[in-house]
């Protein structure tokens, strides 16, 4: 192969010299052909790619078109209602609101209102004037065990780590939260300086215990207390699982691990940072209760919660039993649906692990009510929440407030390029590449985050007013209807019948569909 390459190259140079002497136009043409001929010869003799070996040069078009396939589909093929995980209409709504442009739709809905799964608000003849509503309703988070309750907005920034997101993105999100009066969840990647710029922070602590770990990766109470008592930290969230990859643990590719990120997380650089799939600080429900007490004490009485994607129902019921047995309560539970987002996850986990949000919300709310402790604990919904209707739908099933990750990323300028895991995000949102990151200007994007959050809360409040409800607490399962099939409509009240308060405290009153899980649940083990 090498000899043939040298012979051909020498021949080309000789012919090119002759043609140069005869006619420069022929020479220019030949100079264009030389690289193509060389690439064709290389393709013929390489043994890795079958298509290129069988179809030299032409076969390269397959790989070229495949590499720009997402862009071709997004800009030239997809309709306004196509596109995954968010379609063009949804993305444009966020862009418009963040830029303070009109988000109105002309000529009516593009949705098929007779398609199974179509949902709508049941408005009231006695609708309330929007001016009579509180445009920024707050939700109190804090059980009877909590000495420093927090008043939270009904729409906040969901967990996204520094490392997964760029420094500029984290700065913009935190400053946006500060301007708008809502909280910013750190994600499990640790508490960075860019989370401490004045915005309210929920410190998410995952299985890797980043920013509060010992050298061996176990939890360090002293490192935790050092950061948990900071004024910016309003709540602590123990991450059990993430919707996009429950039971798997987090992944930060080594390409995105800088010296600064390694220092913030208290880890070594030079390899992928992988969180374990489970916690080492506790192994049973009762040990979890002790861990909650420790965090509450070391943080000075701040609200302590968990983030969980529901899997084994008996395990969540075990947590409820432990709270009742010890009279020690979580202050909030963030329910992440299986449709939640991530920077990187195996496709089997993204597609086939974890309970979807609506079913999970109904289950969690009903378990807490069934054990008579719902009044102590606020439920936060997370998973594809980007619009006012998404908020109301989640409130109607059982949430008290909502978080959004990808919606906030769109407000930052994310174009859904699907390159979060490659460190090549073209908008500078999900990359540590300085050249790409500099395109995201925090001063501008923070304002967009604030606008988007404000307009979305305003939309949710407007929908409540149309339903004749003056506070989020009054949104129940009768508010939203969904089409089951072309001739059947049901409200969430019919789809998810609520349990009676206290019915899970005694075996005799446990509903049949939960009894097998109730009997398996134990405060001694998960």
């Amino acid at each position: 192969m090498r000899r043939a390459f040298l012979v051909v190259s020498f021949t080309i140079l000789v012919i090119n010299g002759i043609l140069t002497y005869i006619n420069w136009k022929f020479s220019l043409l030949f100079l264009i052909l030389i690289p193509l001929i060389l690439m064709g010869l290389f393709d013929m003799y390489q043994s890795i790619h079958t298509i290129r070996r069988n179809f030299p040069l032409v076969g390269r078009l397959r790989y070229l078109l495949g590499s720009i396939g997402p862009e071709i589909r997004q800009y030239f093929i997809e309709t306004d209602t196509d596109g995954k995980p968010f379609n063009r209409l949804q993305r444009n709504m966020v862009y418009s609101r963040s830029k303070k442009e009109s988000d109105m739709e002309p000529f009516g809905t593009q949705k098929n209102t007779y398609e199974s799964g179509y949902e709508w608000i049941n408005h009231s003849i006695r609708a309330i004037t929007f001016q009579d509503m509180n445009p920024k309703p707050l939700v109190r988070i804090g059980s009877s065990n909590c000495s420093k309750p927090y008043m939270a907005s009904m729409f906040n920034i969901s967990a996204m780590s520094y490392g997964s997101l760029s420094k500029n993105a984290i700065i913009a999100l935190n400053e946006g939260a500060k301007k708008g009066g809502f909280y910013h969840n750190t994600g499990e990647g640790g508490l960075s300086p860019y989370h401490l710029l004045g915005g309210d922070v929920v410190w998410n602590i995952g299985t890797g215990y980043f920013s509060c770990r010992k050298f061996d990766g176990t939890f360090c109470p002293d490192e935790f207390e050092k950061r948990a008592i900071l004024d910016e930290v309003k709540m602590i969230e123990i991450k059990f699982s993430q919707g996009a990859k429950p039971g798997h643990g987090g992944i930060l590719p080594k390409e995105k691990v800088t010296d600064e990120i390694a220092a913030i997380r208290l880890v070594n650089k030079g390899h992928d940072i992988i969180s374990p799939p489970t916690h080492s600080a506790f192994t049973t429900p009762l040990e979890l209760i002790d861990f909650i007490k420790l965090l509450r004490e070391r943080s000075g009485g701040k609200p302590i919660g968990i983030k969980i994607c529901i899997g084994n129902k008996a395990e969540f019921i075990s947590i409820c039993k432990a709270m009742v047995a010890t009279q020690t309560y979580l202050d909030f539970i963030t329910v992440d649906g299986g449709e939640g987002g991530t920077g990187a996850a195996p496709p089997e986990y993204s597609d086939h692990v974890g309970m979807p949000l609506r079913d999970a919300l109904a289950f969690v709310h009903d378990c807490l009510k069934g054990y008579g402790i719902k009044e102590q604990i606020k439920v936060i919904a997370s998973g594809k929440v980007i619009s006012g209707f998404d908020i109301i739908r989640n409130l109607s099933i059982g949430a008290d407030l909502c978080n959004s990750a990808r919606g906030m990323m769109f407000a930052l300028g994310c174009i859904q390029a699907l390159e979060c895991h490659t460190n090549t995000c073209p908008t500078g949102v999900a990359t540590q590449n300085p050249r790409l990151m500099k395109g995201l200007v925090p001063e501008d994007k923070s304002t967009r985050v604030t606008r988007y959050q404000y307009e979305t809360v305003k939309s949710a409040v407007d929908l409540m007013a149309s339903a004749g409800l003056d506070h989020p607490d009054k949104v129940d399962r009768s508010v939203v209807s969904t089409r089951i099939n072309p001739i059947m409509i049901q409200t969430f009240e019919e789809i998810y019948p609520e349990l009676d308060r206290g019915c899970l405290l005694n075996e005799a009153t446990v509903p049949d569909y939960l009894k097998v899980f109730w009997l398996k649940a134990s405060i001694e083990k998960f």
Side-chain angles (χ1 to χ4, degrees), residues 100-233:
K100 209 172 183 180
E101 297 174 351
S102 174
D103 61 350
M104 299 299 176
E105 288 185 358
F107 222 67
T109 182
Q110 295 189 42
K111 295 182 180 293
N112 180 358
T113 59
Y114 296 95
E115 183 179 30
S116 298
Y118 176 73
E119 299 167 328
W120 64 92
I121 296 284
N122 298 316
H123 66 281
S124 172
I125 294 175
R126 297 290 296 171
I128 302 172
T129 303
F130 180 79
Q131 285 70 24
D132 294 334
M133 301 284 288
N134 179 359
K136 290 187 175 184
L138 299 178
V139 179
R140 183 185 184 277
I141 301 178
S143 67
S144 57
N145 302 138
C146 176
S147 59
K148 290 184 179 179
Y150 174 66
M151 299 301 293
S153 170
M154 62 190 295
F155 190 49
N156 305 276
I157 301 171
S158 194
M160 293 182 284
S161 303
Y162 173 44
S164 179
L165 265 58
S166 69
K167 175 181 73 175
N168 288 8
I170 297 296
I171 292 172
L173 289 172
N174 195 260
E175 291 183 345
K178 179 181 178 181
K179 295 174 185 176
F182 49 97
Y183 69 68
H184 178 194
N185 192 303
T186 66
E188 68 171 310
L191 190 64
S192 76
Y194 313 112
H195 291 109
L196 304 174
L197 302 177
D200 290 351
V201 167
V202 175
W203 184 9
N204 177 297
I205 298 176
T207 55
Y209 306 114
F210 299 126
S211 294
C212 57
R213 58 186 267 148
K214 299 176 184 176
F215 183 75
D216 61 359
T218 57
F219 178 74
C220 179
D222 293 335
E223 292 288 352
F224 168 77
E225 182 175 350
K226 188 188 304 182
R227 295 164 177 80
I229 61 175
L230 296 174
D231 291 339
E232 293 88 348
V233 178

Side-chain angles (χ1 to χ4, degrees), residues 429-505:
V429 176
T431 179
Q432 301 306 315
N433 185 322
R435 182 180 63 83
L436 296 171
M437 197 194 320
K438 70 179 182 180
L440 195 161
V441 181
E443 292 78 11
D444 173 65
K445 302 304 183 184
S446 63
T447 301
R448 293 192 183 190
V449 169
T450 303
R451 285 179 188 149
Y452 164 62
Q453 192 271 352
Y454 173 78
E455 293 296 333
T456 303
V457 170
K458 179 181 175 182
S459 172
V461 171
D462 209 3
L463 290 174
M464 284 194 299
S466 294
L469 307 172
D470 60 6
H471 194 274
D473 290 346
K474 296 184 179 180
V475 180
D476 60 25
R477 294 181 184 178
S478 67
V479 172
V480 178
S481 290
T482 185
R483 184 174 294 284
I484 306 301
N485 58 48
I487 59 172
M488 180 181 289
I489 296 168
Q490 289 186 334
T491 64
F492 284 145
E493 190 173 34
E494 297 170 284
I495 298 172
Y496 304 110
E498 284 199 45
L499 299 187
D500 294 330
R501 190 180 188 282
C503 71
L504 297 181
L505 294 171

